[in-house]
Amino acid sequence: MDFELGEEDLLLRDTVRQLCDQRVRPHAGELDEARALPQSRLGELGEMGLLAMERPEDEGGAGLSAVAASALMVELAAADASLALLVGVHNWQGLAHVAAALGEPARAAELPALTSGERLVAWALPEAGYATVAGGKAECEALTVVARREGAEWVLDGEIRYVPGAAVAERLVVFGRAEAGPTAWLVDREAEGVHVSDPVRTLGLRAAGTAHVQLQGARIHDGRRLDEPGSAWNRGRACLHRTHLGMAAIACGVARGALEVATAYAKEREQFGQPIAGFQAIQWKLADMSLALDAAGLLVTRAAWLHDVGRPYGLAAARARVLATTTAVRSTSEALQIHGGYGYTREFPVERALRDARTCEAIHGGSAVARQLLARSLGDRG
């Protein structure tokens, strides 16, 4: 992905890589085991502008291109995919939705803390809602929160389960069904009637703060409503495309991390008097992992470039997500095989990488929704 990066982008990427090598990667396993949220790491990334990567500098963001932001996500995910997911949820779902949709004066009050990373924002949409958003339909059946208008307030009731980042986010973009149709609000997690569970136990990405969000008579002022009532899918679709691109970059990072540790292990592990990296079977596994990673990375860069030049990129992002997540699962599986029996233990990072890869394939609508978009595009061509 380096060929599309400018000199300043490369410098920032190298800085992030150094941070990951020194401060992120050494603790990723511990945080995964403890299902602990990397609060101190998030603070450091916020100071570097990585919690508002693509927002303009006059809003407090880093003003990066999507190509540069994707490259940074690969670096983060290669070291700790849970941390990368938290950064992605904030950047391309919560912050993107709020910055584009929240009206004044609420926007002026919220945006500085969100772009600096002082506060994080998560996207509370049921998993079933991702397919509905992707389909561009106005149905509300997938929404599990019901909203009714009472004067200048909305009263929200319901539960949204398995929301990545909810356990650490101070703000939530909550989707619900109103009389006019699907609507979204910016909700303070400390508001009366809002309850966020402790982090739930997940297969992978265990330090990403996935939690359940429950609303019981939560009263939200109309000034916190995002977009017009009934039009939440429009903004949600734009965020979904960016999410596919972000998840593709995270999956590439997981695959790259697996390739790196597998290569290092193959050079160190000896059998029959020589490193196993000298055996053709191992060499071909590593070669195939490298080839697949390059192919997935090129699709990510292409989709990001289309985004940067203002061209439609949703299908390109969907293609990138499908190939990248498939590559991550296959590469981490091969890395585990190269490690042999050691790969199945928690003493080596490959078993965590495999769990993270499978979770990348499933969350935020998963690769299934991306494939649905691609299949529909083929039908549209007649």
Side-chain angles (χ1 to χ4, degrees):
M1 302 175 71
D2 293 355
F3 62 89
E4 287 289 344
L5 298 179
E7 189 173 329
E8 291 186 2
D9 294 334
L10 288 170
L11 180 61
L12 179 58
R13 186 210 60 184
D14 291 344
T15 302
V16 172
R17 180 176 295 177
Q18 184 178 35
L19 172 68
C20 288
D21 288 341
Q22 295 178 352
R23 301 175 65 80
V24 176
R25 185 175 285 105
H27 304 289
E30 301 168 17
L31 294 174
D32 175 80
E33 285 288 338
R35 293 176 171 81
L37 304 175
Q39 300 278 17
S40 60
R41 296 292 87 81
L42 288 168
E44 290 178 285
L45 296 179
E47 293 174 1
M48 297 170 66
L50 269 63
L51 295 179
M53 285 191 277
E54 293 172 50
R55 302 309 307 170
E57 294 181 4
D58 60 6
E59 289 185 1
L64 298 179
S65 66
V67 170
S70 297
L72 297 184
M73 290 301 289
V74 171
E75 296 297 329
L76 290 175
D80 185 345
S82 291
L83 177 61
L85 179 62
L86 281 172
V87 172
V89 164
H90 176 78
N91 269 280
W92 300 313
Q93 292 182 328
L95 179 59
H97 200 144
V98 171
L102 193 63
E104 299 290 352
R107 188 174 187 275
E110 289 289 344
L111 209 56
L114 295 178
T115 55
S116 68
E118 179 184 341
R119 295 179 190 146
L120 297 183
V121 56
W123 222 44
L125 174 68
E127 276 294 321
Y130 283 88
T132 305
V133 172
K137 300 176 182 179
E139 289 94 339
C140 288
E141 285 80 1
L143 297 178
T144 52
V145 169
V146 177
R148 68 180 189 276
R149 183 76 177 265
E150 290 188 1
E153 293 181 324
W154 295 82
V155 182
L156 275 57
D157 288 283
E159 183 180 30
I160 304 174
R161 299 177 66 81
Y162 305 109
V163 179
V168 68
E170 290 84 2
R171 298 289 186 268
L172 303 163
V173 173
V174 174
F175 287 78
R177 61 173 83 175
E179 185 176 356
T183 307
W185 297 264
L186 181 62
V187 175
D188 184 346
R189 69 168 290 159
E190 298 299 327
E192 186 175 354
V194 179
H195 307 279
V196 179
S197 73
D198 292 333
V200 298
R201 298 176 67 86
T202 57
L203 172 70
L205 303 172
R206 298 197 300 185
T210 298
H212 305 320
V213 177
Q214 189 174 52
L215 301 111
Q216 298 175 317
R219 291 184 172 273
I220 311 302
H221 193 275
D222 187 56
R224 312 283 284 184
R225 173 175 47 80
L226 304 171
D227 304 311
E228 292 300 316
S231 64
W233 284 167
N234 297 331
R235 185 68 57 190
R237 196 174 310 115
C239 292
L240 177 63
H241 293 329
R242 193 62 189 82
T243 298
H244 282 322
L245 178 53
M247 290 306 303
I250 291 174
C252 281
V254 173
R256 198 192 80 187
L259 175 59
E260 290 173 347
V261 297
T263 301
Y265 181 83
K267 291 178 179 179
E268 295 174 359
R269 174 66 169 166
E270 291 190 1
Q271 285 187 342
F272 308 108
Q274 65 170 313
I276 63 173
F279 299 130
Q280 188 179 73
I282 301 298
Q283 292 171 347
W284 283 21
K285 286 181 183 293
L286 295 173
D288 287 345
M289 291 165 66
S290 176
L291 177 62
L293 176 58
D294 277 355
L298 287 170
L299 282 189
V300 170
T301 301
R302 175 176 178 267
W305 175 80
L306 288 172
H307 175 280
D308 287 336
V309 299
R311 293 170 60 182
Y313 75 101
L315 291 178
R319 289 188 182 94
R321 177 164 190 184
V322 171
L323 184 58
T325 53
T326 300
T327 295
V329 172
R330 289 177 178 172
S331 294
T332 53
S333 296
E334 291 287 40
L336 189 145
Q337 289 300 113
I338 290 171
H339 279 71
Y342 291 113
Y344 291 87
T345 72
R346 298 268 171 101
E347 297 177 16
F348 291 81
V350 289
E351 68 86 26
R352 170 167 52 88
L354 177 56
R355 290 187 286 102
D356 288 344
R358 287 293 291 117
T359 307
C360 284
E361 198 174 38
I363 64 170
H364 294 325
S367 298
V369 169
R371 284 187 170 92
Q372 179 182 331
L373 286 171
L374 297 176
R376 186 180 298 114
S377 73
L378 297 175
D380 291 343
R381 295 174 186 174

